[in-house]
């Protein structure tokens, strides 16, 4: 594992047993054979439709759900953990190093606790401070970094707006001094103007504290503004992965192109040009054979229905899982010429 990689996965899978009865249980493959490298200090984006497995991937890397296949390794230079096989002592330590920022700032905070107690709770539960004075000092420090006033610490969550509540959630996640943070749709419930403020805050905290983020989102405009690298997920698998600018400038997978075409544009010439994806995302318990996207892909060929395409490199840092990406690239170049 490279020194600049914080988390590395190889064929990572997460499955859940569903259905009743002893002999009638199915396996729901929420994450199916994912291999990614998350560099230290990066803002790694994961995008896809609802049901694509984004949240389950993030929770697997936080050890909030069990890893059922493959490997995942965490290495911050001080410790190295196999996330698939952790002892209770290792898991307790890992909880300090990996944290989650929840999606809904209204549901994530207890209405019966003051902001001070909400932020201080991880320190007290993990035993990271020995005295109340030390706890208060840590709380005030992270609250200041998250742009919260000291007078806010005495109030209850109902006194705050959505953006302020999300800053409280961020402070709670960061007070234990984590190295890795999963932000799961952390701005989806906020107004657009507030979203920009929270995203800028996360960026500044990343640089100030040396954090590594996995940023899960369905909003491609937000991902373009924030992330360094983006992985596109569909039905538990990564179909394309590339540096953000490279991916947005030259998407290769038909699914990625369809997602990008749906981004709202102010240009009148581009209005109404969105590619419509026919049908719904298939059930994870009854996945199609071959390429998982072939049931909705307008370019699907016979090979797509029979063989699952590997995630192959098409240029430096850019990988795509599609049998026809080269033909589609040549066709687009020919039509533009």
């Amino acid at each position: 594992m490279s020194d600049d990689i914080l988390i590395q996965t190889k064929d990572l899978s997460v499955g859940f047993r569903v259905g009743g009865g002893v002999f009638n249980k199915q396996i729901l493959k929420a994450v199916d054979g994912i291999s990614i490298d998350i560099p230290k200090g990066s803002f790694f984006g994961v995008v896809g439709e609802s049901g694509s497995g984004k949240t389950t991937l993030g929770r697997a890397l936080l050890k909030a759900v069990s890893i059922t296949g493959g490997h995942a390794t965490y290495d911050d230079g001080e410790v190295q953990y196999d996330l698939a096989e952790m002892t209770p002592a290792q898991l307790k330590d890992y909880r300090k190093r990996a944290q989650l920022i929840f999606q809904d700032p209204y549901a994530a905070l207890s209405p019966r606790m003051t902001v001070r107690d909400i932020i201080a709770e991880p320190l007290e539960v993990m035993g990271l401070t020995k005295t109340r004075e030390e706890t208060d000092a840590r709380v005030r420090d992270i609250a200041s970094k998250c742009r919260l006033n000291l007078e806010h610490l005495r109030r209850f969550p109902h006194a705050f707006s959505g953006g302020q509540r999300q800053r409280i959630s961020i402070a709670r996640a960061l007070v234990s001094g984590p190295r890795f943070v999963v932000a799961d749709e952390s701005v989806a419930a906020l107004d657009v103007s507030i979203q920009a403020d929270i995203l800028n805050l996360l960026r500044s905290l990343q640089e100030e504290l040396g954090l590594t983020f996995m940023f899960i989102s369905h909003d491609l405009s937000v991902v373009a503004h924030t992330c360094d690298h983006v992985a596109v997920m569909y039905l538990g698998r990564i179909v394309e992965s590339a540096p953000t600018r490279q991916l947005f400038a030259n998407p290769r997978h038909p699914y990625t192109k369809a997602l990008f075409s749906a981004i709202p544009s102010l240009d009148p010439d581009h209005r109404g040009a969105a590619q419509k994806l026919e049908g719904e995302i298939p059930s994870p318990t009854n996945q199609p054979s071959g390429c998982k996207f072939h049931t909705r892909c307008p370019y699907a060929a016979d090979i797509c229905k029979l063989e699952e395409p590997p995630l192959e490199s098409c240029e430096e840092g850019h990988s795509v899982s599609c049998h026809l990406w080269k033909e589609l690239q040549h066709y687009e170049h020919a039509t533009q010429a």
Side-chain angles (χ1 to χ4, degrees):
M1 186 170 174
S2 174
D3 291 340
D4 62 346
I5 300 298
L6 182 71
I7 288 184
Q8 183 178 70
T9 73
K10 180 67 174 177
D11 296 326
L12 178 71
S13 297
V14 177
F16 303 98
R17 290 188 177 274
V18 296
V22 177
F23 303 105
N24 191 31
K25 289 186 177 179
Q26 296 178 298
I27 300 296
L28 188 156
K29 294 182 178 180
V31 173
D32 187 12
I34 284 185
S35 300
I36 56 173
D37 293 338
I38 302 180
K40 295 175 182 175
S42 67
F43 226 108
F44 190 94
V46 180
V47 300
E49 293 174 284
S50 296
S52 61
K54 310 184 299 296
T55 293
T56 304
L57 174 61
R59 291 180 182 271
L61 298 182
L62 291 173
K63 284 297 291 180
V65 296
S66 297
I67 295 171
T68 55
H71 303 280
T73 306
Y74 170 92
D75 185 356
D76 62 12
E78 294 180 0
V79 298
Q80 180 173 333
Y81 293 140
D82 179 353
L83 300 183
E85 301 287 341
M86 298 183 78
T87 66
Q90 289 175 334
L91 182 58
K92 183 178 180 181
D93 179 65
Y94 187 61
R95 290 283 178 256
K96 307 170 188 175
R97 301 172 183 270
Q99 285 287 323
L100 171 68
I101 300 173
F102 292 94
Q103 173 179 351
D104 188 353
Y106 292 92
L109 306 179
S110 171
R112 296 180 178 86
M113 299 173 68
T114 64
V115 171
R116 181 267 173 201
D117 291 340
I118 288 171
I119 299 175
E121 188 175 26
L123 299 176
E124 295 166 348
V125 171
M126 297 178 187
L128 298 179
T129 53
K130 298 179 179 179
T131 65
R132 184 178 178 87
E133 290 73 19
E134 185 181 355
T135 300
D136 287 340
R138 291 274 292 268
V139 169
R140 287 194 296 267
D141 179 60
I142 196 65
S144 175
K145 287 182 170 63
C146 293
R147 303 173 191 167
L148 294 167
N149 299 328
L150 294 181
E151 63 186 53
H152 290 160
L153 300 179
R154 296 190 295 270
R155 301 180 186 175
F156 290 86
H158 72 266
F160 297 93
S161 66
Q164 290 172 320
R165 291 188 190 204
Q166 196 60 291
R167 288 201 290 271
I168 296 169
S169 296
I170 293 169
R172 179 179 60 182
L174 301 185
V175 72
S176 63
R179 308 292 179 83
F180 176 57
V181 179
V182 175
D184 185 5
E185 300 278 11
S186 55
V187 297
L190 305 176
D191 293 338
V192 174
S193 59
I194 306 301
Q195 285 184 8
D197 181 60
I198 296 299
L199 292 173
N200 291 332
L201 172 63
L202 293 177
R203 266 296 189 182
S204 65
L205 289 170
Q206 178 205 22
E207 296 172 1
E208 183 178 358
L209 303 177
L211 301 172
T212 301
F213 278 94
M214 172 183 273
F215 189 82
I216 298 170
S217 180
H218 66 276
D219 190 332
L220 291 164
S221 301
V222 169
V223 169
H225 173 74
T226 310
C227 298
D228 310 314
H229 192 102
V230 181
V232 182
M233 286 188 67
Y234 184 81
L235 208 59
R237 299 187 66 86
I238 290 179
V239 298
E240 190 162 7
S241 178
T244 305
R245 290 188 177 181
Q246 193 169 318
L247 185 70
F248 276 73
N250 190 15
R252 302 293 178 84
H253 197 281
Y255 179 61
T256 310
K257 294 176 182 179
L259 292 180
F260 285 1
S261 72
I263 299 176
S265 174
L266 296 177
D267 187 346
D269 295 333
H270 291 285
R271 291 179 184 175
Q275 278 182 250
K276 184 179 179 181
L277 287 176
E278 299 292 342
E280 299 290 335
I281 188 169
S283 170
T285 60
N286 186 26
Q287 299 189 15
S289 61
C291 175
K292 308 304 180 189
F293 185 61
H294 86 260
T295 58
R296 304 172 71 193
C297 180
Y299 310 105
D302 289 340
I303 189 174
C304 303
K305 302 174 184 178
L306 301 174
E307 298 180 17
E308 187 166 347
L311 188 66
E312 61 177 320
S313 176
C314 53
E315 56 184 298
E316 183 66 30
H318 194 157
S319 302
V320 62
S321 174
C322 178
H323 291 298
L324 306 176
W325 71 266
K326 292 180 182 178
E327 289 83 349
L328 295 176
Q329 193 80 357
H330 292 321
Y331 173 77
E332 288 183 358
H333 289 164
T335 56
Q336 292 172 1

